[in-house]
Amino acid sequence: MTTKNVLAVGAHADDVEIGCGGTVARHVTNGDFVIMLVMTKPWYTYYDGTVLRTIEEGTIEEQKAAKVLGVKSINLGFETKKVPYSGESVEAINEVIDKYNIDSIYTHWYHDSHQDHRRTTQSVLSAGRYVKNILMYEPEYPAGRSYSGFHNQYYVDITSSFEMKMEALKQHKSQIKKYGTDFVGAVEARARHRGYEIRSKYAECFEVLRLLGEI
Ligand SMILES: [Zn+2]
């Protein structure tokens, strides 16, 4: 089995861990090279200006999580809440795809309710036009609730990497402070639910945009 070059994309630091952290950890264990690409600078403020995560705090959390997963971390530095679908965003992703000869991409669900998540995947689709496999992880917790249907088409058994996924997620202390420990419990419950559907302990589930090669 040849090793693969994998790109896991998230609009914000922690999106990849929530959506496909177990799958990413499995790739790393299998010897694949994985890049975690975050679109935005990891700071976050409310509309009233209240700072929920400083850039320093966010950067440390992002790097610690990448270390737990064993991936290379790249941050494209777009503004949080203002990720564009533009020539700039497409070319920035395109450059990473070409430089690292990417075989497979994991990204947000196309109909996720967060504008940054949606535009990220629009940009990924344009940039990844020649990439063999593109899979979309589930609507993001906690903000991605949507009223169109996610198609649970492709499952990855993450029983062996579940602890790494949760350990990586827990590096985002500012997010857990913001959303509470129920947020972590919900991520765990989803993995358990998807695992039960395929008769394993834990799983992650994806909707397929393109599946032309071995993953
Ligand atoms: Zn996000």
Side-chain angles (χ1 to χ4, degrees), residues 10-16 18 40 44 53 80 108 112 114 116-117 120 137 140-144 175 179:
H12 315 111
D14 86 351
D15 285 340
V16 163
I18 297 167
T40 59
Y44 203 83
R53 180 167 62 184
T80 302
H108 290 281
D112 192 298
H114 196 299
D116 283 350
H117 298 170
T120 294
Y137 44 81
E140 198 64 75
Y141 275 144
Q175 296 304 97
Y179 296 118

Side-chain angles (χ1 to χ4, degrees), residues 56-118:
E56 293 78 15
E57 203 176 21
T59 302
I60 290 168
E61 291 176 358
E62 187 178 319
Q63 287 169 357
K64 279 186 172 174
K67 201 171 170 192
V68 170
L69 292 173
V71 298
K72 177 180 174 62
S73 168
I74 297 176
N75 188 301
L76 291 183
F78 290 104
E79 293 287 322
T80 302
K81 295 188 267 192
K82 292 178 186 169
V83 170
Y85 171 43
S86 65
E88 196 190 353
S89 62
V90 172
E91 284 185 356
I93 298 169
N94 209 153
E95 197 180 334
V96 175
I97 290 171
D98 288 350
K99 185 171 177 190
Y100 296 99
N101 197 18
I102 296 297
D103 302 295
S104 300
I105 302 179
Y106 298 93
T107 186
H108 290 281
W109 188 47
Y110 197 82
H111 303 287
D112 192 298
S113 63
H114 196 299
Q115 71 275 15
D116 283 350
H117 298 170
R118 256 186 221 219

Side-chain angles (χ1 to χ4, degrees), residues 118-132:
R118 256 186 221 219
R119 290 188 196 133
T120 294
T121 288
Q122 286 178 316
S123 303
V124 165
L125 259 181
S126 298
R129 59 205 175 280
Y130 301 124
V131 175
K132 286 193 190 113

